[in-house]
Amino acid sequence: MVTLTIDKKTVTVPEGSTILDAARQADIMIPTLCYLRDVNEVASCRICAVEVEGVDKLATACNTLAENGMVVHTNTQRVRVTRKTNVELILSQHVDHCVTCVRSGNCTLQTLSKDMNIQHVPFSQNAARRPWDPTLPILRDSTKCIKCLRCVSICDRVQSLNVWEVTGSGAHTTIRVRGGLRMDEVNCSLCGQCITHCPVGALRERDDTEKVFAALADPNKTVVFQVAPAVRAAWADSLGLPPELATEKRMVAAIRALGADYVFDTSFSADLTIMEESSEFIQRLTNPGEYPMPMFTSCCPGWVRFLKLEFPEMVPHLSTAKSPQQMFGAVTKSYFAEKIGVDPEDICCVSIMPCTAKKYESSVREVNDAAFRDVDIVLTTRELVRMLRAFQVNVRALPEEDFDTTMGARTGAGLIFGAAGGVMEAALRTAHYFITGQNPDPDAFRDVRGSDGWRDASFDIDGTTVRLAVISGLNNARELIHAIKSGRVQYDFVEVMSCPGGCAGGGGQPIRDGQELAGERGSKLYDLDAANPLRFSHENPEIQKLYQEYLEKPLSPKAHHLLHSDKGEWTL
């Protein structure tokens, strides 16, 4: 242990702790901007400057180790002036059009500027604007970039994609796409982790809210919304609602207040995905040598892009099942359209997703019906919040409402899709039933849950040992592929989610700077699963009805046409 003094407080911390760690343990506030624990500790912004007795230069608290006997001062005049000057220098290269910035009110630089009472910038302002394709799912405004290197670090160290790079030095330092290429020329998964870890508005998703407003205003359009499981665990974060008001039923009421004709739960089509994917897994498992093994889940388009770009030879391992988003769109514009007597071309299917890569997925030609797109518009959770504010929806005052029926039933298995390990657990529950004819204990496969980025498990199902892995984060996915190819590991079934913690930590979720909330949000979904009277996808009465009336059975020719897609043919 190490004992030091910070602002006259004696603090004891484990060896290897930084001054910042020690200060936080003692509830002493040291501001940071570029810092991300265990990811970006390069002190590029130097906002965390502190004074250490006996040392001439100010130290950066985020990467200076605490030492026995060290005496630290965090609020001297010298420290205060230095921090303020550093923020002013950053502002001199940052276009501060806060009124029109999506991060206004949730911007660390804006907060620091207010806290430091900066009312004008004494340096000449110079922010270079670089061109960017506005049609891409991820947008970058170079005039807002503060060179904190967070995007570089999260992409390199957590996702191992190396999309961003630093060039130049001093005042000429800039961040750009690797090698000066365009975004569509590099192996970006479109996961959006760079967006959620940017402390300002330099990175954001393409805003598609006006397209939805136009559809809602069109009297000839039937607008059908679907809401992903993980959205309900985070939608109210930016609205300041207490937990007792931030219910999924109030979320439904809020979306309906926008003018939606129908509001459905993507958990319904998650159950449908399980019916197809677990059937496909059993088909592969019981026909050794006929199919590539292990089988990979294919719900996450960021993961599918990653595999196609980085390891195209492994694409045949992907399940052919579409994601719940795309399955929902497919049945909406076929089965549901027939039910309500509306031409599919007059239906606008809108998805609310915790993900930026879903914007890409909905536009892939090969995943859609030849006549029309399964899903017309994809919004992130953040875009939903912006729509509610633009429409002046008083969410607090709304009475709770239920999802629409016909495709409204969902099980706990569908809900946990939003947490890492949830797809695997849901699939195993139904696979066990398909193999044995009996339901397992709903929590029999809970060992696949957890926050580790790579988890192994094995279960006996009717005398067959099934070897599994659950992966979240693309660096872990890369290590997994190398381990499989080298023969170091053998699995039968692998779930991969591109975002750490799964969809609950997706790139389209509300941002709380410096906080990783996937675990907290995922636990909410497991609570909803435990409280649901139906916990097996195959027991969803609306799913049973869909097969009886329309699809016949899992993996039928009609199910294959509507609900499956050859990932090898996807356009990137």
Side-chain angles (χ1 to χ4, degrees):
M1 301 296 284
V2 173
T3 300
L4 67 161
T5 301
I6 307 178
D7 293 346
K8 299 181 180 180
K9 284 188 178 181
T10 301
V11 187
T12 300
V13 293
E15 196 167 339
S17 300
T18 63
I19 293 174
L20 182 62
D21 295 331
R24 289 182 172 179
Q25 180 175 306
D27 294 324
I28 296 171
M29 172 63 185
I30 296 177
T32 62
L33 183 57
C34 68
Y35 174 76
L36 285 175
R37 185 177 180 83
D38 298 327
V39 176
N40 198 52
E41 300 172 338
V42 296
S44 61
C45 70
R46 309 195 75 78
I47 304 301
C48 64
V50 295
E51 196 165 352
V52 179
E53 287 189 8
V55 179
D56 290 337
K57 290 184 178 181
L58 294 181
T60 47
C62 72
N63 63 355
T64 300
L65 293 179
E67 298 178 4
N68 268 319
M70 182 181 274
V71 178
V72 179
H73 303 284
T74 71
N75 258 319
T76 64
Q77 176 70 352
R78 181 185 176 199
V79 166
R80 190 189 67 80
V81 170
T82 298
R83 288 176 183 168
K84 185 176 182 180
T85 301
N86 287 340
V87 172
E88 289 169 342
L89 286 166
I90 291 169
L91 287 169
S92 73
Q93 295 191 353
H94 174 82
V95 171
D96 52 354
H97 295 161
C98 296
V99 174
T100 56
C101 181
V102 294
R103 290 294 297 276
S104 184
N106 184 24
C107 169
T108 305
L109 180 60
Q110 188 182 57
T111 300
L112 285 173
S113 299
K114 290 180 179 179
D115 290 348
M116 295 180 183
N117 195 30
I118 296 174
Q119 300 181 21
H120 73 283
V121 178
F123 306 105
S124 59
Q125 293 188 283
N126 179 27
R129 181 176 295 279
R130 292 175 174 80
W132 197 266
D133 183 351
T135 67
L136 294 173
I138 293 176
L139 304 182
R140 181 174 186 269
D141 185 343
S142 60
T143 68
K144 295 179 181 178
C145 178
I146 60 172
K147 292 87 173 175
C148 66
L149 310 188
R150 283 190 182 188
C151 60
V152 177
S153 294
I154 202 77
C155 194
D156 291 2
R157 300 183 63 180
V158 177
Q159 300 297 66
S160 73
L161 290 170
N162 308 106
V163 169
W164 309 104
E165 70 177 6
V166 186
T167 62
S169 60
H172 301 290
T173 300
T174 189
I175 309 296
R176 67 176 188 179
V177 176
R178 183 182 68 240
L181 299 171
R182 298 193 312 269
M183 188 67 154
D184 57 358
E185 294 176 325
V186 292
N187 290 1
C188 177
S189 71
L190 301 175
C191 67
Q193 288 299 305
C194 56
I195 297 176
T196 59
H197 291 85
C198 177
V200 294
L203 290 161
R204 61 184 176 89
E205 72 275 22
R206 183 187 69 229
D207 190 292
D208 292 315
T209 58
E210 287 302 324
K211 296 177 184 177
V212 181
F213 279 127
L216 290 167
D218 187 341
N220 298 315
K221 286 291 183 184
T222 298
V223 184
V224 178
F225 278 74
Q226 60 164 314
V227 189
V231 172
R232 75 207 62 209
W235 73 282
D237 277 14
S238 304
L239 296 171
L241 292 183
E244 63 271 16
L245 293 181
T247 63
E248 64 175 41
K249 289 188 176 183
R250 187 160 282 106
M251 175 188 70
V252 173
I255 296 169
R256 202 167 276 132
L258 294 172
D261 293 298
Y262 297 92
V263 183
F264 291 112
D265 191 346
T266 312
S267 301
F268 164 83
S269 50
D271 284 331
L272 184 58
T273 300
I274 287 303
M275 296 294 285
E276 296 294 321
E277 194 168 68
S278 60
S279 297
E280 182 184 3
F281 171 63
I282 292 169
Q283 186 180 68
R284 293 193 185 206
L285 185 68
T286 55
N287 292 278
E290 191 171 338
Y291 301 94
M293 295 294 277
M295 187 179 91
F296 297 148
T297 60
S298 57
C299 303
C300 172
W303 152 240
V304 173
R305 276 183 64 89
F306 170 83
L307 199 67
K308 282 182 64 65
L309 288 164
E310 302 279 341
F311 302 97
E313 71 281 5
M314 300 295 286
V315 168
H317 290 260
L318 286 167
S319 166
T320 62
K322 291 183 181 180
S323 71
Q325 168 181 275
Q326 297 303 130
M327 282 197 184
F328 180 89
V331 296
T332 295
K333 294 193 176 181
S334 54
Y335 172 72
F336 182 68
E338 290 183 15
K339 283 280 186 183
I340 63 173
V342 173
D343 189 320
E345 290 189 11
D346 294 329
I347 292 178
C348 179
C349 184
V350 180
S351 298
I352 302 174
M353 294 284 141
C355 176
T356 48
K358 288 290 181 184
K359 289 177 180 281
Y360 149 77
E361 181 186 39
S362 71
S363 68
V364 173
R365 183 178 64 253
E366 295 81 7
V367 81
N368 291 291
D369 188 283
F372 37 73
R373 284 172 59 160
D374 294 343
V375 175
D376 297 286
I377 308 169
V378 178
L379 302 178
T380 62
T381 312
R382 295 189 294 270
E383 286 172 281
L384 168 63
V385 173
R386 294 203 288 272
M387 285 193 71
L388 294 174
R389 285 180 168 150
F391 214 70
Q392 300 295 309
V393 176
N394 184 358
V395 179
R396 287 175 176 267
L398 293 174
E400 294 186 331
E401 297 182 21
D402 290 315
F403 286 103
D404 282 295
T405 56
T406 303
M407 299 190 302
R410 78 297 173 69
T411 72
L415 285 164
I416 59 176
F417 259 60
V423 177
M424 177 67 73
E425 185 171 354
L428 290 174
R429 292 178 189 178
T430 289
H432 185 283
Y433 173 79
F434 283 164
I435 292 171
T436 68
Q438 296 181 335
N439 284 337
D441 182 301
D443 297 311
F445 307 110
R446 65 178 303 124
D447 285 354
V448 301
R449 304 176 192 176
S451 58
D452 296 339
W454 181 339
R455 299 189 298 284
D456 296 301
S458 61
F459 299 98
D460 182 275
I461 302 179
D462 200 31
T464 298
T465 299
V466 181
R467 301 161 298 177
L468 314 166
V470 172
I471 305 294
S472 69
L474 292 176
N475 186 48
N476 292 321
R478 186 182 299 279
E479 292 182 7
L480 165 86
I481 298 300
H482 287 311
I484 289 173
K485 294 181 72 172
S486 68
R488 288 187 285 118
V489 296
Q490 290 83 38
Y491 298 116
D492 301 302
F493 196 6
V494 178
E495 175 197 312
V496 182
M497 295 294 174
S498 62
C499 293
C503 302
Q509 293 282 63
I511 299 168
R512 276 198 238 162
D513 193 27
Q515 298 182 51
E516 302 294 343
L517 299 171
E520 176 185 319
R521 292 166 175 166
S523 67
K524 294 179 182 178
L525 301 178
Y526 281 110
D527 289 342
L528 290 171
D529 167 42
N532 198 305
L534 296 175
R535 300 187 66 189
F536 300 93
S537 295
H538 53 274
E539 292 187 346
N540 184 325
E542 293 291 344
I543 294 293
Q544 293 172 352
K545 186 177 180 181
L546 175 60
Y547 279 107
Q548 291 165 4
E549 296 183 354
Y550 201 74
L551 295 174
E552 298 177 10
K553 62 180 182 179
L555 305 185
S556 71
K558 196 164 191 176
H560 258 292
H561 172 69
L562 282 175
L563 309 180
H564 291 257
S565 172
D566 183 352
K567 309 303 188 298
E569 296 179 353
W570 278 28
T571 304
L572 290 171

